């Protein structure tokens, strides 16, 4: 094992010793105990309150290949996509969902959004991660708030979520750095757009420690997609322009790890607003 | 579309009209609304009470290929297994979990169960189903109670779950037929074992209508595995024999569909013990 693998194994062992998780065999996978799931359920309820919704629509862990092709995901992140292959191949191929939000767009595709549309979704995501440090999940649950509409209100909505998420993490006692980030989201030409992406402040990440030796892991993000997805799915504005979109995404397992790292294994030691999270018997 | 496809589409449309689900694109997948998820969360809580546990351990939707190979799943159900392929192939291949229970066995493998072991687990499962009728989910959540030990107490435990599940469905107002069934669980020679499997009463299914035109769908099952998995994972009894195992498995989405089919779209019309199920804001 490399030094990093040893650290990852130690961090995973700590999680088991704390009663949060059990080994699951494959790299980047865990089995989560009722104690851990109660925290996840509490986070879900808190996010529902924060979003002012009735709760998320749960999206399936697999998506049609054609959906993800239209979103051009594989052109941006070819190495992370998990394709599902079965003995009996057919035309209706599926891939593992790389993010929770994609099934929102076909419902808007080739149409016009008359007014700004809002969505609250959740689902299991898969990313074929190459490294094994704790928190580098291959499979994880993501809660996402999504909006689709005109550029300015979409950006204002995203900025509102930056404030709301910052307040949430402060209440939960999780120290976060809010950093302007880039990713190759905008397709094969993306690497040439990084400077521009930073200048435009399209992506903010909430970075926290998910284990003692963690230099920092993104536990949530708030992102403007510009008209990238609007163009892919031919979503129009009433004035004929292409719709913009934005999302606020919360990595539920990573937030739980950040809470555990911040407050320890005994829920009695957690500060009041964090200790109020666990919702027993309601696995999320 | 064939007649069956038309029926499947109509049944899915009814689910959408009732506020339970939205189309998700791929065959055998759905997006579930907070209303549907509240029923799932309530079922989970009821099953936790029935099992007398603290709640399930949540297993990941993907498992290591080596685990599923050791269980010889692909030799029994090659057509249903979903393998995950990524651009960057490596030795640590993963498959989509075909059932929730498999990660239990490596923890017992190559060892001795000193006394009967009990597990309560849940997780997303995938089966590459070829047909599209409502309830033929490609991706779904399964709750499983599992025991591993000597033949007689394992069989007695399984029989206890048949009674307990029958009582649960009666309380929920879901009419079920309890039928002795077979499946090719026991490997490539399984088809020659069907008569024997029936004679031995190894598998009971709880069959209910999940839509008006459904002739009957298995919504739960209670199964003795004999020493099939004990032998695959080299789990021994204190006397040196091979451990037996059994499970009681509940298909959460199918049970929810059976409830909706039985009681309709308005929770106010549901009988008291079923109407008490929904746990709002706690997506399972």
């Amino acid at each position: 094992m490399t030094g990093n693998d040893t650290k990852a194994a130690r961090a995973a062992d700590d999680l088991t010793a704390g009663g949060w998780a059990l080994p699951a065999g494959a790299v980047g996978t865990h089995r989560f105990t009722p104690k851990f799931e109660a925290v996840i359920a509490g986070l879900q309820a808190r996010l529902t309150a924060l979003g002012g919704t009735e709760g998320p629509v749960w999206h399936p862990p697999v998506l049609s290949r054609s959906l993800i092709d239209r979103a051009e995901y594989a052109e941006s992140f070819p190495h992370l996509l998990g394709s599902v292959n079965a003995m009996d191949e057919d035309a209706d191929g599926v891939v593992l969902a790389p993010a929770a939000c994609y099934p929102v767009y076909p419902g808007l595709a080739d149409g016009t959004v008359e007014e700004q549309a809002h969505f609250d979704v959740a689902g299991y995501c898969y990313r074929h991660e190459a490294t094994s440090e704790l928190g580098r999940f291959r499979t994880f649950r993501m809660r996402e708030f999504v909006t689709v509409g005109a550029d300015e209100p979409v950006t204002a909505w995203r900025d509102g979520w930056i404030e709301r998420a910052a307040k949430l993490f402060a209440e939960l006692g999780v120290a976060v750095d809010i950093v302007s980030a880039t990713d190759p989201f905008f397709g094969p030409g993306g690497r040439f757009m990084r400077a521009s992406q930073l200048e435009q402040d399209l992506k903010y990440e909430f970075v926290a420690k998910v284990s003692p030796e963690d230099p920092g892991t993104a536990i949530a993000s708030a992102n403007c997609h510009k008209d990238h997805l609007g163009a892919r799915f031919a979503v129009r504005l009433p004035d004929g322009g292409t719709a913009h979109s934005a999302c606020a995404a919360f990595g539920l397992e990573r937030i739980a790890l950040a809470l555990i790292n911040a407050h320890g294994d005994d829920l009695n030691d957690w500060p009041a607003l964090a200790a109020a999270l666990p919702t027993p018997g309601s696995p999320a």
Side-chain angles (χ1 to χ4, degrees), chain A:
Chain A
M1 289 209 294
T2 68
N4 281 337
D5 285 345
T6 309
K7 276 185 209 166
R10 196 189 316 134
D13 285 348
D14 288 348
L15 217 51
T16 298
W20 303 104
L22 299 164
V27 170
T29 71
H30 302 264
R31 291 186 281 157
F32 292 112
T33 63
K35 180 182 176 185
F36 186 93
E37 291 299 315
V39 172
I40 297 282
L43 275 172
Q44 291 278 37
R46 190 72 73 89
L47 288 166
T48 297
L50 208 59
T53 69
E54 294 177 8
V57 170
W58 271 81
H59 285 179
V62 296
L63 305 177
S64 73
R65 174 89 212 187
S66 59
L67 165 55
I68 226 65
D69 283 349
R70 189 163 184 187
E72 296 183 357
Y73 180 87
E75 282 152 54
S76 298
F77 304 100
H79 54 296
L80 295 179
L81 186 63
S83 294
V84 178
N85 289 88
M87 197 180 76
D88 173 27
E89 285 304 331
D90 55 31
D92 182 44
V94 293
V95 299
L96 289 163
C101 62
Y102 286 107
V104 158
Y105 296 97
L108 304 171
D110 310 305
T112 300
V113 284
E114 296 297 338
E115 50 189 61
Q116 195 173 355
H118 296 283
F119 304 90
D120 175 5
V121 302
Y124 269 91
C125 304
Y126 181 87
R127 295 185 187 166
H128 199 78
E129 300 283 3
T131 58
S132 64
E133 68 272 21
L134 189 71
R136 186 67 64 186
F137 297 112
R138 281 207 190 166
T139 178
F140 58 94
R141 283 160 284 187
M142 191 188 284
R143 176 79 175 264
E144 271 193 69
F145 298 90
V146 181
T147 195
V148 182
D151 186 0
E152 281 190 23
V154 161
T155 303
W157 176 96
R158 193 279 312 260
D159 292 345
W161 267 105
I162 294 173
E163 282 177 39
R164 226 168 290 157
K167 185 162 172 287
L168 172 71
F169 293 126
E171 286 176 358
L172 295 178
V174 171
V176 293
D177 288 327
I178 305 177
V179 299
S180 183
T182 63
D183 62 23
F185 187 80
F186 295 93
R191 61 186 173 280
F192 304 111
M193 289 179 65
R194 284 193 183 174
S196 154
Q197 204 175 345
L198 277 171
E199 275 164 27
Q200 294 178 76
D201 288 334
L202 297 182
K203 183 180 188 67
Y204 285 94
E205 289 182 338
F206 295 80
V207 175
K209 286 170 84 76
V210 299
S211 64
E213 304 194 59
D214 179 22
T217 297
I219 61 172
S221 65
N223 314 291
C224 286
H225 313 139
K226 304 290 283 182
D227 62 359
H228 178 72
L229 289 165
R232 298 287 85 67
F233 288 93
V235 188
R236 310 234 148 260
L237 296 168
D239 70 5
T242 300
H244 284 230
S245 59
C247 71
F250 296 85
L252 298 177
E253 286 88 351
R254 283 185 174 179
I255 297 172
L257 292 187
L259 281 160
I260 295 164
N261 183 64
H263 306 313
D265 293 331
D266 186 344
L267 290 168
N268 294 313
D269 296 337
W270 288 28
L273 286 172
L277 278 181
T279 308
S282 301

